[in-house]
Structures are given as structure tokens and as C-alpha cells.
């Protein structure tokens, strides 16, 4: 009985790896953007994880990436420390850096794209159409940018 009581007291005072091993697993999302038409502006992404209902208009996380490392119309970036789970990403080639997609008569003038590259429709894709799972240390995805209008 004394041995059990002593073990309980020691575990209470020094929980060690037993409690810490149950931490949330996290990974890195490595994204390659393809078909970027020029060096102007930056690439803006919206990541949905906790709020699939808001996709693609209300993102959980918004990030901007400079195009400095772009080569042959492609740019690869990493988003680190993301909890394992389902994600969907929307992308804007924000050429004028105003954080809004430029439209002309309902047609985007800047590039856009979505994770899993769903087929183009006359509506924004749903979370389920763009979702992918992060369940390992590095998850690599590729997003093709589309340009519907001529732009500037």
C-alpha cells in the first residue's frame, strides 16, 4: 500500500512524459502555387480549418507571401504548426496588394485558386470540394492559379 501511495505522489509531483505525450499533433502544409502570371503584388491565402461553413469568404487564417522566390511561374511556401485535421485553402494573386479580388462585370481580374483544384463553376467551391487532410509532419499540395479576365 505504501508503494502505491508513494508512486501516486511522485506521479503527481513529476508527471513527466505521461501528460506531455498527449499533446495535439501538428504538421506543416507545403503549398506550391503554379501558373502565377507575373511578379506584381503578393500571394494571399485564406485557410479554413475550424470554420468550414465560412469557406472561402471567411478564413480562420489569412497570410500573404511575397513572390521573391517565384521561378517559372511557381512559388512554394510553408505554413507551419497546423493541428492535424481537415483543411481548405483559397488563393488570390493580389497583384495590387489591396487584399480584395478585382472584378469586372463579375469576372475576376486577378488570379485565384483553391486547394484540390476543383473544376471551375459559376459559384465558389464548397469546403468539401477543396478539403484535404493534414495528418503527417509535412503535407504537400499544389494549387493552380486561374486568370479569367485580362487584367491590366
Amino acid at each position: 500500500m505504501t508503494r502505491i501511495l508513494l508512486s501516486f505522489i511522485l506521479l503527481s509531483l513529476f508527471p513527466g512524459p505521461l501528460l506531455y505525450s498527449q499533446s495535439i499533433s501538428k504538421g506543416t502544409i507545403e503549398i506550391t502555387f503554379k501558373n502565377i502570371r507575373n511578379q506584381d503584388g503578393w500571394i494571399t491565402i485564406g485557410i479554413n480549418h475550424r470554420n468550414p461553413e465560412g469557406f472561402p469568404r471567411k478564413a480562420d487564417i489569412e497570410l500573404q507571401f511575397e513572390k521573391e522566390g517565384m521561378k517559372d511561374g511557381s512559388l512554394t511556401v510553408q505554413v507551419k504548426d497546423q493541428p492535424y485535421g481537415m483543411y481548405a485553402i483559397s488563393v488570390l494573386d493580389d497583384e495590387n496588394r489591396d487584399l480584395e479580388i478585382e472584378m469586372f462585370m463579375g469576372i475576376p481580374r486577378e488570379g485565384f485558386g483553391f486547394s484540390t483544384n476543383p473544376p471551375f463553376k459559376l459559384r465558389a467551391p464548397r469546403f468539401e470540394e477543396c478539403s484535404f487532410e493534414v495528418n503527417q509532419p509535412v503535407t504537400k499540395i499544389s494549387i493552380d492559379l486561374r486568370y479569367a479576365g485580362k487584367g491590366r
Side-chain angles (χ1 to χ4, degrees):
M1 177 78 168
T2 313
R3 186 180 290 180
I4 294 172
L5 184 59
L6 182 59
S7 296
F8 178 74
I9 292 170
L10 287 174
L11 281 174
S12 298
L13 294 174
F14 305 103
L18 292 177
L19 292 180
Y20 299 114
S21 65
Q22 296 179 356
S23 66
I24 296 173
S25 296
K26 294 184 178 184
T28 295
I29 304 171
E30 184 174 289
I31 311 163
T32 299
F33 305 103
K34 295 182 177 180
N35 306 318
I36 303 170
R37 73 174 164 192
N38 61 44
Q39 292 275 347
D40 297 341
W42 55 37
I43 299 294
T44 298
I45 67 171
I47 301 174
N48 285 71
H49 174 59
R50 295 181 303 269
N51 186 14
E53 296 81 27
F55 182 80
R57 306 223 188 289
K58 294 180 183 175
D60 296 322
I61 302 169
E62 292 183 5
L63 300 170
Q64 289 78 39
F65 298 97
E66 296 291 339
K67 296 181 183 178
E68 295 166 349
M70 188 173 92
K71 183 177 180 185
D72 298 326
S74 291
L75 175 69
T76 299
V77 301
Q78 291 187 338
V79 182
K80 297 182 178 185
D81 296 324
Q82 297 304 301
Y84 283 9
M86 297 302 290
Y87 286 81
I89 298 177
S90 56
V91 181
L92 168 64
D93 181 2
D94 194 7
E95 294 175 305
N96 62 0
R97 295 178 185 241
D98 69 352
L99 300 176
E100 293 184 20
I101 189 163
E102 300 298 316
M103 304 284 273
F104 179 73
M105 296 180 63
I107 300 171
R109 297 181 67 175
E110 296 175 300
F112 63 94
F114 301 95
S115 50
T116 74
N117 300 303
F120 183 77
K121 296 181 180 176
L122 294 178
R123 63 163 174 77
R126 295 181 185 94
F127 181 87
E128 296 78 24
E129 296 171 301
C130 301
S131 63
F132 63 96
E133 189 170 8
V134 173
N135 61 2
Q136 55 192 359
V138 178
T139 300
K140 295 181 180 186
I141 66 167
S142 176
I143 300 176
D144 298 326
L145 272 73
R146 301 175 181 153
Y147 297 86
K150 292 186 177 182
R152 297 180 216 177

